[in-house]
Amino acid sequence: MSALAPLLTKRWGDERSWTLESYRRAGGYEALAKALALTPGEVLATVKDSGLRGRGGAGFPTGVKWSFLPPPDGGPRYLVVNADESEPGTCKDIPLLMADPHSLIEGIAITAYAIGCHHAFVYLRGEVVHVYRRLLAAAREAAEAGLLGPSVMGSGYDLRLTVHAGAGAYICGEETALLDSLEGRRGQPRLKPPFPAVAGLYARPTVVNNVESIASVPWIVLGGADWWKSMGTEKSTGVAIYSLSGHVARPGQYEAPLGVTMRQLLELAGGVRAGHELKFWMPGGSSTPMFTPEQLDVPLDYDSVAGAGSMLGTRALQVFDETVCVTRAVTRWMEFYAHESCGKCTPCREGTFWLRAVLRRIEGGQGRAEDMQILDDIPKSIVGRAFCPLGDGAPSSLVSSLKFFREEYLRHIELGRCPFDRRASELFEEADR
Amino acid sequence: MTYAPQILDTLRGEAAEVIARYPSPRSALLPLLHLCQSVDGYVSPDAIAFCAETLGLTGAEVSAVATFYTQFKRQPNGRYTLGVCVTSLCAIMGGDSIFDRLSEYLAVGHDQTTADGLFTLERIECNAACDYAPVMMVNWEFFDNQSPASAVRLVDDLRAGRPVRPTRGPDTLATFQDVARVLAGFEDGRAGEGPAAGAPSRAGLELAAANGWSAPPIRVGQAATPDAVASSPAPPSAPAPSAKAPPAELGGAAAAEAGRTGSDTGQQEGKVAK
């Protein structure tokens, strides 16, 4: 198997790759034509059989999720694409939509056909206006070319697509909060069950999938389930985009078969920045427990990462070298969660608020010995007690950092200041300060 | 409402277009708030009243939504929102220093606007561009790989009215209000400007091309149904033999693409039939 296998990223270097003309020249919409010649049940079975797992973080099998929809009752059923990419470190869907929006639209058309949906939605975070321009233009182009709208490609199957921009809220990445937001409300999670498959958008059966999951669908239809399964591992099939950021020589997007290791990816990205060494890294975003150099050889598939005590999440691999203060990094993540907590449940709203206060105190040099006990205790009141998974994930970086780097917190308290020089971590030259 | 009659007429017409995109009118609330921001520069009392009247909601219901989302401003916003990402990774790579420098240079803090109404400074959370850290978003356009010095230069250029170009965005920077109109779902004709992707976005793609790495070939005639014939085994990790010419059975468009990328890179891109 090749070290890298660009499929979803394959067209990102093409001339004006975001246009319908460029996409079609690269073979675009051939998968849709192929899917429309099959029955919806056959398309669904192919995706189910491919083993594709959700690329938005949770890793639930995509085809199985589709199959949870109740039998048609004559009323509408919806597909909603989650393009609210906001998990810290995650930066794959936004470049995909900027460079190759038609791959998402083709995936939407195939998926909607498979699940019997006639009105699909993309919920894009609002803070990326150029991506929204590209999506709006692509949806218009596709409709003008008969790839959306009445009788898609002359098949008799109708599909409407609405591309919607949010307005700045991390919580809208949680699927039920996203649906509330799309209904014009505050984005707060709903009690489950009922799950969206049964009562989602406007209380109708709804599938919510991540951008990368849906953009994988045309490839699976084109190549077949067995071709897809020939890549990756037995339980984590296919390819996926790995995003490397931070203290690496060549940060960026690396699409590889699932199961590649961080050691391999770091090597491909030119290693940790010159003259420095790896201190810690986040495998799947800031809501997943951190890893150290000891986990460099863990295969980055769903089950192996879980077995090593973290989560594959969104494959948002954030790299930090020895210049970085763990207390500062964790404080910043806690500031993020406190800011983004939707306020619906007490464990997350109050827990992240007080953890932020205590962490700021320690990082600022006013920490007290008893603060360590507070840092140990509060996460126990959040994890497993929050209303939604985003709350449950909020203390992950803190808890894991206390396991690996407890003495660093203690040093802040003993010294009454941060022992690190923040300038040593920065990426710009002295002249650019 | 204090909107002038002709503004109100236009707003009502555009609101009807927005509402028509959704099965339920209330779904139009977020885009309508963006639209009102494009008129007033923030979510004004008029905006609350207009959205409430248009959608049959109470002012309290509209306010509850408007105060939940950070992109909706409760006081007049500057012509340019300078957003500095200060979530962990960007903060550590230099975002903290960029924010501090800008705050000192402009003499405003987070969510404050300069006296001349030009700039609103904001600490923003992760904007999905971590491979370009440290990142700034100006009016929600990407300004990648920033430094304190580049941020100050950007401010000076905007103040002097010199053209400013986002790293991955349109050729020139639009105003906060113009961008709010796009966020309401009204195209401004600028989707075709700017690059497809920056260098980090293409890092893996270019490395794969240089080494001849690709996914296993898709065999023509491979059925999409679950009982399809098994595909050929994966190629070895060493660069596979050159396959510049695409298989003859491929569709025209696929063949053209396979041949084109193969000849562009001199590598084995032609192996994958798409």
Side-chain angles (χ1 to χ4, degrees):
Chain A
M1 183 65 71
S2 293
L4 295 172
L7 289 174
L8 281 75
T9 57
K10 185 176 165 58
R11 291 175 288 260
W12 296 7
D14 291 359
E15 183 71 21
R16 294 177 67 81
S17 61
W18 61 88
T19 60
L20 179 59
E21 188 194 352
S22 173
Y23 187 65
R24 283 204 131 154
R25 201 163 54 225
Y29 289 103
E30 288 180 10
L32 176 58
K34 184 170 178 179
L36 291 170
L38 301 170
T39 67
E42 284 170 332
V43 178
L44 193 152
T46 299
V47 173
K48 204 168 168 179
D49 191 48
S50 75
L52 174 68
R53 291 170 70 169
R55 301 294 193 236
F60 193 81
T62 304
V64 175
K65 199 174 193 179
W66 298 359
S67 68
F68 285 160
L69 288 182
D73 61 1
R77 38 218 275 146
Y78 298 109
L79 169 64
V80 179
V81 176
N82 184 345
D84 191 58
E85 183 166 64
S86 310
E87 170 73 14
T90 310
C91 48
K92 61 189 180 65
D93 297 338
I94 293 304
L96 185 149
L97 296 172
M98 188 178 291
D100 200 14
H102 281 284
S103 69
L104 179 73
I105 292 176
E106 184 175 13
I108 287 170
I110 296 170
T111 303
Y113 174 71
I115 64 171
C117 150
H118 297 284
H119 194 167
F121 297 82
V122 179
Y123 185 103
L124 174 71
R125 66 180 298 181
E127 303 101 315
V128 286
V129 64
H130 204 53
V131 174
Y132 194 40
R133 286 192 188 96
R134 294 257 164 101
L135 260 177
L136 286 168
R140 176 176 42 75
E141 274 188 305
E144 287 165 2
L147 301 161
L148 291 172
S151 190
V152 173
M153 294 181 112
S155 65
Y157 163 70
D158 306 334
L159 177 61
R160 244 186 109 185
L161 175 64
T162 297
V163 184
H164 176 96
Y170 167 68
I171 187 61
C172 292
E174 197 282 332
E175 62 179 6
T176 61
L178 184 154
L179 294 175
D180 259 33
S181 180
L182 185 51
E183 290 182 6
R185 301 167 194 279
R186 296 168 79 102
Q188 293 189 316
R190 299 174 180 175
L191 190 64
K192 293 192 271 194
F195 288 90
V198 174
L201 188 62
Y202 313 123
R204 293 294 306 168
T206 302
V207 167
V208 185
N209 279 143
N210 168 259
V211 168
E212 191 185 349
S213 309
I214 294 294
S216 300
V217 168
W219 286 105
I220 291 169
V221 167
L222 215 57
D226 288 322
W227 169 78
W228 186 255
K229 285 191 283 192
S230 76
M231 300 177 282
T233 70
E234 191 188 342
K235 288 183 176 165
S236 300
T237 60
V239 295
I241 304 173
Y242 291 86
S243 310
L244 275 84
S245 61
H247 289 136
V248 316
R250 288 190 297 276
Q253 308 302 318
Y254 295 83
E255 191 175 2
L258 282 156
V260 65
T261 66
M262 184 58 166
R263 190 182 300 282
Q264 292 170 304
L265 286 168
L266 261 182
E267 200 180 307
L268 294 170
V272 172
R273 68 173 172 155
H276 295 274
E277 59 188 47
L278 178 64
K279 181 174 179 178
F280 66 99
W281 54 289
M282 308 299 284
S286 62
S287 302
T288 64
M290 64 176 60
F291 278 162
T292 66
E294 277 186 37
Q295 287 82 23
L296 277 175
D297 294 310
V298 172
L300 297 176
D301 61 63
Y302 295 97
D303 305 292
S304 301
V305 177
S310 189
M311 281 175 70
L312 184 63
T314 46
R315 290 148 278 117
L317 304 160
Q318 301 173 80
V319 176
F320 299 93
D321 69 21
E322 84 290 347
T323 64
V324 177
C325 171
V326 170
T327 306
R328 178 176 170 219
V330 169
T331 302
R332 281 317 172 74
W333 279 315
M334 202 54 70
E335 289 176 347
F336 171 84
Y337 290 108
H339 180 260
E340 298 296 335
S341 176
C342 78
K344 180 160 180 158
C345 77
T346 309
C348 173
R349 184 188 64 243
E350 300 299 317
T352 56
F353 175 88
W354 289 105
L355 281 174
R356 174 178 63 181
V358 172
L359 282 165
R360 278 179 174 168
R361 186 160 73 200
I362 294 173
E363 200 216 346
Q366 284 88 48
R368 310 162 191 169
E370 60 268 30
D371 284 346
M372 295 306 289
Q373 190 64 45
I374 299 175
L375 293 186
D376 287 333
D377 286 345
I378 293 180
K380 292 177 193 154
S381 305
I382 301 176
V383 180
R385 288 169 169 76
F387 190 84
C388 82
L390 273 53
D392 284 337
S396 290
S397 63
L398 170 63
V399 173
S400 54
S401 72
L402 287 168
K403 192 170 83 182
F404 294 124
F405 300 104
R406 193 176 186 88
E407 72 287 353
E408 276 194 23
Y409 290 88
L410 292 168
R411 276 204 77 204
H412 281 77
I413 295 172
E414 283 159 20
L415 291 172
R417 63 177 172 80
C418 176
F420 290 85
D421 174 7
R422 80 181 197 184
R423 287 173 302 183
S425 303
E426 295 175 339
L427 293 183
F428 33 74
E429 305 293 323
E430 201 50 44
D432 289 326
R433 276 186 196 289
Chain B
M1 268 186 286
T2 60
Y3 287 124
Q6 68 271 34
I7 289 179
L8 197 56
D9 277 355
T10 310
L11 260 180
R12 284 192 173 129
E14 292 180 338
E17 281 181 54
V18 175
I19 291 167
R21 297 177 199 150
Y22 304 93
S24 164
R26 184 165 177 165
S27 284
L29 182 51
L30 266 64
L32 287 185
L33 287 165
H34 281 304
L35 185 65
C36 289
Q37 282 206 141
S38 79
V39 175
D40 292 332
Y42 73 118
V43 176
S44 64
D46 279 345
I48 299 285
F50 175 79
C51 291
E53 181 197 284
T54 306
L55 298 175
L57 302 170
T58 65
E61 286 171 317
V62 175
S63 281
V65 171
T67 51
F68 185 82
Y69 297 93
T70 50
Q71 282 184 288
F72 295 137
K73 304 296 182 171
R74 303 298 301 193
Q75 59 261 334
N77 199 72
R79 188 175 171 86
Y80 303 105
T81 290
L82 305 171
V84 183
C85 180
V86 290
T87 311
S88 271
L89 188 118
C90 270
I92 289 168
M93 300 303 137
D96 275 349
S97 294
I98 295 172
F99 184 87
D100 291 350
R101 183 86 173 82
L102 278 182
S103 182
E104 188 194 344
Y105 192 66
L106 296 167
V108 291
H110 165 64
D111 209 17
Q112 293 177 351
T113 301
T114 53
D116 59 8
L118 267 185
F119 301 108
T120 300
L121 183 62
E122 251 190 78
R123 300 167 67 83
I124 63 167
E125 301 294 359
C126 187
N127 222 85
C130 315
D131 44 347
Y132 297 88
V135 168
M136 280 181 66
M137 302 299 294
V138 182
N139 290 346
W140 307 115
E141 305 281 11
F142 288 105
F143 285 75
D144 301 323
N145 301 114
Q146 294 296 299
S147 69
S150 70
V152 165
R153 273 199 303 275
L154 179 63
V155 165
D156 288 343
D157 286 344
L158 288 169
R159 260 194 190 140
R162 287 190 285 268
V164 162
R165 188 187 191 113
T167 322
R168 288 174 292 145
D171 295 341
T172 55
L173 185 65
T175 65
F176 176 80
Q177 283 171 255
D178 289 344
V179 162
R181 185 176 167 80
V182 178
L183 293 176
F186 291 96
E187 290 193 74
D188 62 359
R190 309 186 73 178
E193 298 176 21
S201 301
R202 301 189 312 266
L205 178 65
E206 285 169 5
L207 193 63
N211 288 285
W213 293 329
S214 68
I218 290 175
R219 288 212 315 215
V220 174
Q222 210 153 32
T225 42
D227 53 349
V229 184
S231 65
S232 57
S237 61
S242 173
K244 289 194 181 72
E249 311 93 310
L250 288 180
E257 157 65 6
R260 192 175 61 79
T261 48
S263 61
D264 280 354
T265 61
Q267 295 298 335
Q268 293 77 31
E269 294 260 333
K271 287 198 301 170
V272 178
K274 187 170 184 188

